Amino acid sequence: TGATVLFVTHSISEAIYLSDKVVVFSKRPATIVKQLAVNIEYPRSSKTRFLPAFTELERQASVALRIVH
């Protein structure tokens, strides 16, 4: 439809699964830490989260959030 939607979540996998672009914010004051382009084809299925590209995006977001190093 060409619509732009801003969706806020604390779930990294949900953000990647639903998005074309993920923006990771820092703690207060919120600033953009990292932007990730999600270049995974639609339609996405439950198997999508096991793709190497998906897990790499999860890793990058986790590093940006300092969940993993």
Side-chain angles (χ1 to χ4, degrees), residues 49-63:
R49 65 189 180 109
F50 300 107
L51 296 173
F54 192 96
T55 56
E56 175 57 21
L57 288 166
E58 285 182 311
R59 187 196 66 76
Q60 290 180 35
S62 296
V63 169

Side-chain angles (χ1 to χ4, degrees), residues 3-23:
T4 299
V5 176
L6 175 64
F7 181 75
V8 179
T9 182
H10 289 96
S11 170
I12 294 170
S13 60
E14 181 178 53
I16 295 166
Y17 186 83
L18 295 174
S19 305
D20 296 318
K21 178 178 170 181
V22 174
V23 179

Side-chain angles (χ1 to χ4, degrees), residues 2 8 13 15 20 23 25-26 29-30 35 42 47 64 67 69:
V8 179
S13 60
D20 296 318
V23 179
F25 288 91
S26 67
Q35 295 185 46
Y42 287 99
K47 295 179 183 178
I67 295 170
H69 302 338

